[in-house]
C-alpha cells in the first residue's frame, strides 16, 4: 500500500496557529511574557548598579575638585568675557581654566578637611554665588577694600541690595549645588591615611596648576599684565584671598589709643578778638564730577548753587573710590599723598586737632557712620525724631540735615565746625534718594537691581538725585546767609564718584590703582557771604581764580585749619583752598 503524504493544514486554507519560536534542542520554548519579564529584571539590575555606584563612598578630594570646577565654570562670566574680549586663544583659555580649577582645589583642600569638609564647601558655594551675582550685574571687583565695604555695610544698605534676581541666582548657583554636596557619601579613612592622601592631592593640584600655567605661560601672563583688574574677577579666589588679607589688617583703634597729630596746634585768633566762625562741612555721597551742572554737564543739575554764586572747583581728585577709604583719608594729615590705611586709622583725625584748640565739633550723620573719623568727638545720627516728614522706613532724605542744622544754629556758641554727612546719591537705589517732585528726568530706574533697567533710566534717576542734593545745599546756604552774628562758610565735597555702566562697571569701590575717573573725580564747592569773607580777610576773587587748578581731598585738612586760624607745623598753606588769598 502506497503512502500518500498529507497536505499541511495551512496549505489547505486553514488558519495556522502560532506555536512560538522554534524550540532549541534541549531547551523548552519561552512563554509569551518572558521577554518583558527579562527586560524589567535588567532594568532593576541597572538601577541597582546605578544606585550602588551613586551611594559608593567617594574620596573627599574628588568632591573638592568638582566644587572647584563648578565655581570656575559657573561663577566667572565676567572673567571669561574679559578673556574673550582680549582675544585669548582657545588653548590659552583652556590652560587658564585648568590652572584655576587646580589652584582653587588646592585652596579649598587647605580648609576643607574631615567633618568640616562639607560645611566648608557649602559655605563656599553660597558665598561664590553671592559674589558672582554682584560681579556679573555690577562688575564689582573684590579686593581688600571691597571686603571692608561689605563687612561694614549697614542693615539699611543691605536691604536695598536684596532683590528677587539675587535670591534666585543664589538659590540656583549656590544653594542647589550645596544640597547636592550634602548628599554625596564620602569615604571614611583613618586620620593618618586621610592626611597622607590630602598631602598627595595638594601636591598634585600644585603640579597640575604649574603645568597648565607653564603650557601657555606667555599668553596667560600677557593677559594679566594687560588687564590689571583680571585677577580681581576670579571668583571665589578673589573673595577668599582678600578676606584673609583683610582679617590680617589692624582693627579699629580706640580713640584713647590713637596717636596724636599736630600736637602744637593752637588758634592764633579767637572769638574774643573777632566774630565767631562757623564752618559747615558737607560730605556728599557718590556724586561724580562729570554729572555736576557747574562743571559743564549737559544737564543743569545744580541750578540753586549756580544762583547762589558758589565757588566751584571743577578738577578734584578723591582719596579713594569708596567711603570706607576716602572718609578716613580726607580727614587725615597723611591724605592720599602718603596713604597708609593702618597708619591713618591709628592716628587722630582732623576733627580731634580742631577740637583740641577749643573749637566745637559735631558730626551729623545721614549715612552709614563716620568710619572712625569722629570717634573722638561724637556723632548724631539722623532719625525721624528730628524731622518726621523727611524720614520713612528707617531712612531719611537729606532734608533732615537742614532741620538739624537749623536746630544747631540756635544753640551754637563760639567757633564751630559742623560736619554733615549726606545720603546723597548712594546706590543702587538712586530713585529713593529724592522726593517725587525732583523726578525731572524720566523715565527712571525704580529698581535696585540695575540689570533690570536701561542705562538711560539709571542715569535719569542718578541725575535727579543730584538735583535734590543741589536743593538741600541751597537750603543750607540760605540758613547760613540769614545769620549775621558770625562769619559763616559752607564747603561741600563728595567722598567718591560712581560708575554708571562705563566699561561695564556700575557703582563704585574699584581698586584705586585701576579705578576709572568716574569713581575718583568728584565735585566741590565753597560758599561764604561777602561780608564774612571781608571779615576773615579772604579775597573771594582770588579763591575763584585758584579754583581752576587741580585739587584733591588732601586739601581739606589745611583748609579747615586755615579757616579757624589754627597754626601748626602740620598746616600746609599751599594746599589751603584760601591760603594764597588770605590777608597776612
Amino acid at each position: 500500500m502506497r503512502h500518500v503524504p498529507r497536505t499541511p493544514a495551512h496549505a489547505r486554507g486553514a488558519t495556522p496557529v502560532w506555536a512560538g519560536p522554534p524550540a532549541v534542542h534541549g531547551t523548552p520554548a519561552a512563554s509569551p511574557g518572558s521577554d518583558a519579564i527579562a527586560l524589567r529584571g535588567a532594568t532593576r539590575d541597572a538601577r541597582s548598579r546605578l544606585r550602588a555606584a551613586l551611594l559608593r563612598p567617594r574620596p573627599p578630594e574628588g568632591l573638592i575638585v568638582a566644587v572647584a570646577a563648578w565655581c570656575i565654570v559657573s561663577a566667572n562670566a565676567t572673567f571669561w568675557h574679559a578673556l574673550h574680549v582680549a582675544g585669548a586663544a582657545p588653548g590659552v583659555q583652556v590652560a587658564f581654566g585648568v590652572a584655576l580649577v587646580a589652584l582653587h582645589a588646592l585652596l579649598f583642600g587647605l580648609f576643607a578637611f574631615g567633618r568640616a569638609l562639607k560645611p566648608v564647601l557649602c559655605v563656599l558655594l553660597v558665598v561664590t554665588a553671592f559674589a558672582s551675582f554682584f560681579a556679573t550685574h555690577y562688575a564689582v571687583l573684590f579686593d581688600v577694600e571691597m571686603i571692608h565695604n561689605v563687612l561694614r555695610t549697614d542693615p539699611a544698605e543691605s536691604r536695598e541690595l536684596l532683590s528677587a534676581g539675587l535670591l534666585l541666582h543664589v538659590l540656583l548657583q549656590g544653594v542647589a549645588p550645596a544640597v547636592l554636596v550634602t548628599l554625596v557619601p564620602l569615604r571614611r579613612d583613618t586620620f593618618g591615611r586621610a592626611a597622607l592622601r590630602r598631602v598627595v592631592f595638594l601636591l598634585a593640584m600644585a603640579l597640575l596648576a604649574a603645568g597648565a600655567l607653564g603650557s601657555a605661560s606667555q599668553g596667560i601672563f600677557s593677559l594679566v599684565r594687560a588687564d590689571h583688574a583680571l585677577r580681581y574677577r576670579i571668583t571665589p579666589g578673589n573673595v577668599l584671598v582678600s578676606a584673609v588679607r583683610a582679617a590680617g589688617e589692624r582693627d579699629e583703634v580706640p580713640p584713647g589709643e590713637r596717636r596724636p597729630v599736630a600736637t602744637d596746634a593752637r588758634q592764633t585768633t579767637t572769638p574774643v578778638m573777632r566774630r565767631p566762625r562757623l564752618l559747615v562741612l558737607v560730605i556728599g555721597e557718590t556724586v561724580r564730577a562729570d554729572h555736576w551742572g557747574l562743571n559743564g554737564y549737559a544737564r543743569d543739575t545744580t541750578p540753586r548753587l549756580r544762583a547762589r554764586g558758589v565757588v566751584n572747583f571743577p578738577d578734584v581728585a578723591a582719596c579713594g573710590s569708596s567711603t570706607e577709604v576716602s572718609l578716613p583719608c580726607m580727614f587725615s594729615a597723611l591724605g592720599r599723598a602718603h596713604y597708609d590705611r593702618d597708619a591713618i586709622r591709628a592716628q587722630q583725625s582732623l576733627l580731634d586737632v580742631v577740637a583740641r584748640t577749643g573749637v566745637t565739633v559735631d558730626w551729623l550723620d545721614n549715612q552709614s557712620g563716620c568710619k572712625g573719623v569722629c570717634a573722638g568727638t561724637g556723632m548724631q545720627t539722623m532719625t525721624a525724631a528730628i524731622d518726621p516728614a523727611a524720614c520713612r522706613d528707617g531712612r531719611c532724605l537729606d532734608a533732615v540735615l537742614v532741620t538739624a542744622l537749623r536746630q544747631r544754629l540756635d544753640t551754637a556758641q563760639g567757633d564751630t565746625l559742623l560736619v554733615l554727612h549726606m545720603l546723597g546719591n548712594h546706590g543702587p537705589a538712586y530713585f529713593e534718594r529724592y522726593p517725587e517732585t525732583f523726578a525731572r528726568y524720566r523715565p527712571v530706574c525704580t529698581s535696585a537691581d540695575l540689570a533690570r533697567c536701561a542705562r538711560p533710566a539709571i542715569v535719569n534717576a542718578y541725575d535727579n538725585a543730584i538735583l535734590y542734593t543741589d536743593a538741600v545745599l541751597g537750603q543750607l546756604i540760605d540758613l547760613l546767609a540769614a545769620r549775621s552774628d558770625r562769619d559763616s562758610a559752607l564747603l561741600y565735597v563728595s567722598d567718591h564718584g560712581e560708575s554708571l555702566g562705563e566699561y561695564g562697571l556700575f557703582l563704585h569701590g574699584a581698586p584705586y590703582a585701576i579705578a576709572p575717573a568716574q569713581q575718583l573725580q568728584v565735585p566741590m564747592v565753597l560758599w561764604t557771604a561777602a561780608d564774612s569773607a571781608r571779615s576773615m580777610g579772604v579775597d573771594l576773587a582770588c579763591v575763584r581764580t585758584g579754583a581752576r587748578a587741580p585739587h584733591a581731598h588732601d586739601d581739606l585738612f589745611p583748609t579747615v585749619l586755615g579757616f579757624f586760624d589754627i597754626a601748626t607745623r602740620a598746616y600746609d598753606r599751599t594746599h589751603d583752598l584760601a591760603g594764597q588769598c588770605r590777608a597776612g
Side-chain angles (χ1 to χ4, degrees), residues 250 258-262 317-320 325-351 353 373 512 552-558 561 569-572 575:
R250 182 182 301 178
R258 296 186 181 185
R259 182 173 63 82
V261 296
C319 278
V325 175
S326 61
L327 209 57
C329 178
M330 73 168 76
F331 283 89
S332 166
L334 296 176
R336 190 75 228 181
H338 306 285
Y339 184 77
D340 182 318
R341 181 183 182 277
D342 287 345
I344 287 174
R345 293 175 181 275
Q347 64 180 212
Q348 293 180 341
S349 74
L350 168 64
L351 304 188
V353 176
V373 171
Y512 187 85
H553 276 169
D554 289 10
D555 297 342
L556 183 63
F557 195 96
L561 295 180
R569 289 189 298 273
Y571 172 73
D572 184 353
H575 284 279

Side-chain angles (χ1 to χ4, degrees), residues 107-194:
L107 187 61
F108 295 174
L110 293 174
F111 300 99
F113 189 78
R115 295 184 182 277
L117 186 139
K118 285 188 177 182
V120 169
L121 292 181
C122 289
V123 170
L124 284 171
L125 284 167
V126 174
V127 169
T128 299
F130 272 105
S132 68
F133 178 86
F134 288 103
T136 303
H137 286 70
Y138 302 113
V140 171
L141 301 176
F142 287 93
D143 66 342
V144 176
E145 295 303 339
M146 182 57 68
I147 297 299
H148 285 304
N149 292 337
V150 172
L151 295 177
R152 289 177 172 82
T153 298
D154 65 25
E157 292 176 326
S158 299
R159 286 194 299 270
E160 291 176 356
L161 292 172
L162 292 177
S163 66
L166 169 62
L167 297 179
L168 180 62
H169 179 92
V170 172
L171 180 64
L172 295 178
Q173 284 200 198
V175 176
V179 171
L180 293 179
V181 165
T182 64
L183 299 177
V184 176
L186 297 178
R187 181 184 301 168
R188 298 297 183 116
D189 286 322
T190 63
F191 177 81
R193 188 171 181 178

